[in-house]
């Protein structure tokens, strides 16, 4: 059967594919070290699970308002207020994960041929979602020289009369880059002057290290907020990836359009997951801080371990739970008779020969890098580093 052009052009998520392969190997009894997962290895905190159990017991099992229950949208507004940005519940649309929020936003904002600026390395789904909405991804490559961050100069140079949207992601998946308030203000000047819309993906806002603090670009000025779609959710902050609750905070007409769109696809996100999200946002934040501290220690360990490996260099990520080492010096060298030519060669050799799952940089529009998630135990990190050392020392 012939598929629509829309479907034929979709590339499956390479991160989910590698994660699935690693999990399949594990299920067969292979001792895989999995650095590919984009999710916390912690369980959802007990009080959040209990809220879902209570909701279920109380029979909270029917359709809810499409954009989410008022209680949750109110809790989201309160959580965003702590970030210095004021929204009302009518500006909030709760969806089935932040990925869904991003999808809805692009569907209601983009016309065919509209250009969307993506700063590479970028999170894989942005690229595909832009295409699915008929947009044209315009990739601006950044590197370690700017800390993998977009600068006003790079942004200006990418703008054309067709540019409609910029996607920002701070803290960033895959690089862990965190934009400072000043850096965002400099970008915001261009955004306002050139009349762009910005999707600000802040899903990792709570996972910051080295005393860094999060700034939402929407908090900088009213004229920035009125052109920002702020995206966040509970997946990463509260170890709730499977619950599928994400949200957008947007100018009212955009929120309304996203709600109308959602009313014809998923309708409301899962009722009991919404109750759990209320407990997450309004309850104790102790578990969040515990997980953040643990991630910071793991980041320190994996970063130090990678920097000791010959031929590997690594920027210090300030947030999220990924490291993004530079592996250019490994290219051209031989592993068991085969020349390593790109990040996929390296990732394939690591998975097949050393049972270490990593994601090749090319999946994020960036060579020559790998992404390693440190949302795994310290023991696994130690074992993985040992295997990586065995790999690089074997190269000819
Ligand atoms: C940058 C970024 N945005 C959004 C998401 C989607 O999160 P959710 O699980 O809430 O759909 C992810 C998940 O990997 C992510 O890394």
């Amino acid at each position: 059967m012939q598929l629509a052009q829309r479907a034929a052009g979709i590339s499956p998520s390479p991160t989910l594919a590698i994660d699935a392969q690693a999990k399949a190997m594990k299920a067969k009894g292979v001792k895989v070290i999995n650095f590919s997962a984009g999710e916390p290895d912690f369980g959802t905190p007990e009080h959040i699970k209990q809220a879902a159990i209570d909701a279920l017991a109380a029979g909270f099992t029917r359709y809810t308002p499409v954009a989410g229950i008022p209680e949750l949208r109110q809790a989201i507004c309160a959580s965003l207020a702590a970030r210095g940005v004021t929204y009302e519940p009518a500006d909030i649309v709760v969806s089935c994960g932040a990925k869904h929020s991003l999808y809805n936003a692009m569907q209601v904002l983009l016309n065919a041929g509209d250009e969307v600026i993506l700063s590479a390395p970028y999170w894989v789904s942005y690229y595909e979602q832009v295409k699915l909405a008929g947009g044209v991804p315009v990739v601006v490559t950044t590197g370690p020289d700017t800390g993998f961050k977009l600068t006003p100069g790079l942004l200006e140079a990418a703008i054309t009369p067709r540019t409609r949207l910029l996607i920002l992601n701070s803290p960033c998946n895959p690089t862990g880059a965190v934009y400072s308030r000043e850096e965002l203000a400099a970008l915001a000047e261009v955004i306002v002057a050139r009349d762009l819309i910005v999707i600000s993906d802040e899903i990792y806002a709570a996972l910051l290290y080295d005393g860094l603090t999060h700034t939402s670009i929407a908090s900088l000025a009213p004229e920035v907020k009125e052109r920002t779609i702020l995206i966040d959710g509970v997946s990463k902050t509260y170890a709730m990836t499977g619950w599928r609750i994400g949200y957008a905070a947007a100018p009212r007409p955009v929120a309304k359009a996203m709600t109308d769109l959602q009313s014809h696809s998923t309708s409301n996100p899962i009722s009991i997951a919404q109750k759990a999200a209320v407990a997450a946002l309004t309850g104790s934040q102790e578990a969040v801080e515990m997980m953040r501290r643990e991630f910071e220690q793991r980041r320190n360990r994996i970063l130090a371990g990678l920097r000791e490996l010959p031929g590997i260099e690594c920027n210090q990520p300030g947030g999220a739970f990924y490291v993004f080492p530079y592996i250019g010096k490994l290219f051209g060298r031989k592993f068991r008779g085969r020349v390593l030519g790109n990040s996929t060669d390296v990732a394939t050799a690591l998975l097949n020969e050393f049972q270490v799952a990593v994601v090749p940089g090319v999946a994020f529009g960036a060579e020559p890098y790998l992404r390693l998630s440190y949302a795994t135990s310290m023991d696994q990190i130690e074992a993985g580093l040992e295997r990586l050392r065995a790999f690089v020392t074997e190269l000819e």
Side-chain angles (χ1 to χ4, degrees):
M1 189 181 290
Q2 181 121 26
L3 294 175
Q5 279 173 6
R6 189 187 314 111
I10 302 174
S11 313
S13 162
T15 48
L16 292 184
I18 291 165
D19 193 41
Q21 197 184 337
K23 282 177 178 155
M25 286 168 77
K26 232 177 189 163
K28 283 193 195 143
V30 182
K31 289 206 165 61
V32 181
I33 309 278
N34 192 356
F35 289 132
S36 72
E39 61 182 342
D41 54 320
F42 301 102
T44 303
E46 286 306 319
H47 70 282
I48 300 175
K49 291 198 278 192
Q50 192 57 50
I53 293 167
D54 293 347
L56 197 52
F60 192 70
T61 53
R62 297 182 187 276
Y63 291 134
T64 75
V66 169
I69 52 177
E71 195 187 355
L72 176 54
R73 286 193 277 165
Q74 188 59 57
I76 289 166
C77 291
S79 155
L80 291 177
R83 216 174 276 186
V85 55
T86 312
Y87 287 100
E88 290 175 30
D91 307 322
I92 308 295
V93 185
V94 185
S95 299
C96 307
K99 194 180 262 189
H100 186 207
S101 306
L102 288 159
Y103 180 85
N104 284 345
M106 290 192 223
Q107 289 291 324
V108 306
L109 289 169
L110 295 176
N111 283 312
D114 282 349
E115 291 180 359
V116 177
I117 297 177
L118 294 181
S119 155
Y122 50 74
W123 182 55
V124 290
S125 293
Y126 300 142
Y127 196 93
E128 296 301 321
Q129 291 191 353
V130 169
K131 284 195 304 178
L132 279 168
V136 179
V138 174
V139 175
V140 179
T141 300
T142 67
D145 54 324
T146 65
F148 293 108
K149 288 184 250 188
L150 192 62
T151 61
L154 288 169
L155 175 58
E156 276 281 6
I159 296 172
T160 76
R162 310 260 4 209
T163 309
R164 174 129 172 95
L165 196 71
L166 162 69
I167 302 180
L168 275 182
N169 175 213
S170 175
C172 172
N173 173 9
T175 64
V178 178
Y179 285 77
S180 70
R181 190 176 186 83
E182 293 68 34
E183 287 163 342
L184 288 173
L187 290 175
E189 259 184 48
V190 180
I191 289 163
V192 173
R194 304 299 296 265
D195 195 21
L196 305 184
I197 302 170
V198 57
I199 290 184
S200 177
D201 181 348
E202 305 179 18
I203 192 92
Y204 294 101
L207 292 173
L208 289 167
Y209 316 118
D210 308 320
L212 292 176
T213 51
H214 176 72
T215 302
S216 172
I217 195 165
S219 72
L220 294 178
E223 65 270 26
V224 184
K225 184 183 165 216
E226 72 195 20
R227 49 188 75 239
T228 301
I229 322 299
L230 192 164
I231 306 286
D232 200 344
V234 295
S235 298
K236 317 286 178 174
T237 309
Y238 299 98
M240 291 178 71
T241 45
W243 299 75
R244 312 311 302 136
I245 296 289
Y247 63 81
R252 192 83 42 105
V254 178
K256 181 175 181 315
M258 288 174 69
T259 306
D260 291 346
L261 175 71
Q262 186 163 299
S263 77
H264 295 296
S265 55
T266 59
S267 297
N268 61 273
I270 299 170
S271 57
I272 58 173
Q274 291 188 61
K275 286 285 192 183
V278 171
L281 292 171
T282 60
S284 163
Q285 303 296 302
E286 240 172 68
V288 177
E289 176 55 14
M290 183 281 288
M291 292 189 274
R292 192 204 64 77
R293 257 188 274 125
E294 179 66 31
F295 282 135
E296 183 159 12
Q297 283 173 10
R298 296 175 186 180
R299 182 210 58 171
N300 294 345
R301 178 64 198 111
I302 200 166
L303 187 61
L306 286 170
R307 284 174 168 174
E308 281 168 11
L309 300 180
I312 292 189
E313 292 159 23
C314 197
N315 252 39
Q316 175 152 324
F321 39 62
Y322 310 100
V323 277
F324 203 64
Y326 174 88
I327 54 162
K329 290 185 181 157
L330 307 187
F331 292 2
R333 296 182 62 190
K334 266 194 195 157
F335 175 69
R336 299 186 186 169
R338 281 195 55 199
V339 176
L340 299 173
N342 53 48
S343 59
T344 306
D345 289 347
V346 175
T348 306
L350 281 170
L351 185 57
N352 293 340
E353 307 300 327
F354 291 88
Q355 293 75 49
V356 176
V358 300
V359 186
V362 68
F364 309 97
E367 283 280 24
Y369 300 95
L370 296 177
R371 188 195 77 175
L372 282 75
S373 160
Y374 49 88
T376 186
S377 71
M378 206 59 117
D379 287 352
Q380 292 283 293
I381 289 171
E382 293 295 352
L385 285 169
E386 253 174 56
R387 292 187 196 184
L388 285 168
R389 176 172 289 282
F391 170 69
V392 291
T393 43
E394 197 186 317
L395 297 182
E396 297 163 40

